[in-house]
Amino acid sequence: SQTIHQWPATLVQPVGSPLSLECTVEGTSNPNLYWYRQAAGRGLQLLFYSVGIGQISSEVPQNLSASRPQDRQFILSSKKLLLSDSGFYLCACLGQGRHEQYFGPGTRLTVT
Amino acid sequence: AQTVTQSQPEMSVQEAETVTLSCTYDTSENNYYLFWYKQPPSRQMILVIRQEAYKQQNATENRFSVNFQKAAKSFSLKISDSQLGDTAMYFCAFMKPILNDMRFGAGTRLTVKP
């Protein structure tokens, strides 16, 4: 089964600074990958998904971007963080049966 | 667009009792998947149970079972013999095939009391 790693686990960044969150997947090849954001006490909002290297789809207009430089690597970035970018960011991978998603441990981002 | 509604922001249950969490969804699709995920204080999202829309039989996983009413677009989760470790946020989610993007409800915070 697949294992999803996210780095870093927590991050505190000032407004206007850049951002790079990394997600890597083990145990599968050519997976569908997803970035979600969870605001405090809320559900998950899909930000980006990718069906292959270099293929990124964005769900909502925002201050963030995503890239997939390798088959099992998915990166979430920003050039200049906003206070509203604070939240809990989760990376997910479509299961090999293609019937469910599995999640990484998440990154808690606080923008000050 | 698909929407998922969880009308119970918070619920509580006594240990060993049974509790049902509600979820409704809106879609024009005929083929899709429904899920319940658990998010404990660690915030790790854990898949609890999955239901394929084309299956009439309700899914069960040990103490967890669902009541899937396709015509009513309802998908409730029943937890039997509640345990303290069941305390968590529970999210209902909808996924359609092909792109497999998932839509989540706002969640229900469940507290199991000793």
Side-chain angles (χ1 to χ4, degrees):
Chain A
S1 62
Q2 59 271 18
T3 303
I4 303 168
H5 303 280
Q6 287 189 243
W7 184 88
T10 61
L11 188 61
V12 180
Q13 292 283 96
V15 168
S17 64
L19 173 74
S20 181
L21 303 182
E22 185 170 342
C23 170
T24 57
V25 182
E26 294 178 356
T28 186
S29 59
N30 194 30
N32 283 18
L33 298 173
Y34 308 83
W35 276 113
Y36 293 89
R37 176 169 58 203
Q38 184 180 26
R42 304 289 296 277
L44 278 68
Q45 179 189 31
L46 179 63
L47 301 176
F48 300 95
Y49 63 91
S50 172
V51 299
I53 296 175
Q55 301 180 64
I56 309 293
S57 296
S58 173
E59 278 294 299
V60 294
Q62 58 202 309
N63 184 45
L64 302 168
S65 62
S67 62
R68 187 167 176 177
Q70 299 181 42
D71 180 44
R72 289 172 285 181
Q73 184 184 33
F74 202 22
I75 296 173
L76 185 68
S77 304
S78 174
K79 292 182 179 179
K80 290 185 178 182
L81 282 169
L82 306 173
L83 286 175
S84 58
D85 292 325
S86 292
F88 190 63
Y89 289 83
L90 286 154
C91 179
C93 170
L94 188 66
Q96 291 184 329
R98 302 187 69 81
H99 296 158
E100 64 279 322
Q101 290 185 14
Y102 294 98
F103 288 81
T107 295
R108 183 187 302 274
L109 171 66
T110 303
V111 181
T112 60
Chain B
Q2 290 75 24
T3 58
V4 180
T5 302
Q6 293 179 250
S7 59
Q8 305 153 314
E10 295 188 20
M11 293 191 72
S12 63
V13 62
Q14 292 295 132
E15 194 175 7
E17 301 274 301
T18 295
V19 64
T20 299
L21 308 184
S22 301
C23 173
T24 58
Y25 58 94
D26 184 27
T27 185
S28 58
E29 305 281 338
N30 189 52
N31 185 25
Y32 50 88
Y33 302 95
L34 296 165
F35 308 87
W36 281 97
Y37 281 88
K38 169 185 176 181
Q39 189 180 41
S42 67
R43 302 196 78 172
Q44 174 73 55
M45 292 288 285
I46 302 166
L47 177 64
V48 175
I49 200 166
R50 179 188 76 216
Q51 174 79 41
E52 292 92 340
Y54 63 85
K55 289 187 177 180
Q56 292 185 339
Q57 186 174 5
N58 289 324
T60 62
E61 287 287 343
N62 301 313
R63 297 183 295 108
F64 299 88
S65 61
V66 299
N67 184 5
F68 173 48
Q69 301 290 329
K70 190 173 184 179
K73 297 180 182 176
S74 171
F75 184 61
S76 61
L77 174 70
K78 185 172 80 171
I79 306 174
S80 304
D81 185 25
S82 297
Q83 300 176 0
L84 296 178
D86 294 334
T87 292
M89 283 287 288
Y90 285 82
F91 292 98
C92 178
F94 170 101
M95 185 174 79
K96 57 182 181 179
I98 311 301
L99 290 177
N100 305 106
D101 55 323
M102 194 173 284
R103 309 292 164 170
F104 286 82
T108 296
R109 183 176 302 279
L110 176 67
T111 301
V112 180
K113 298 179 178 179

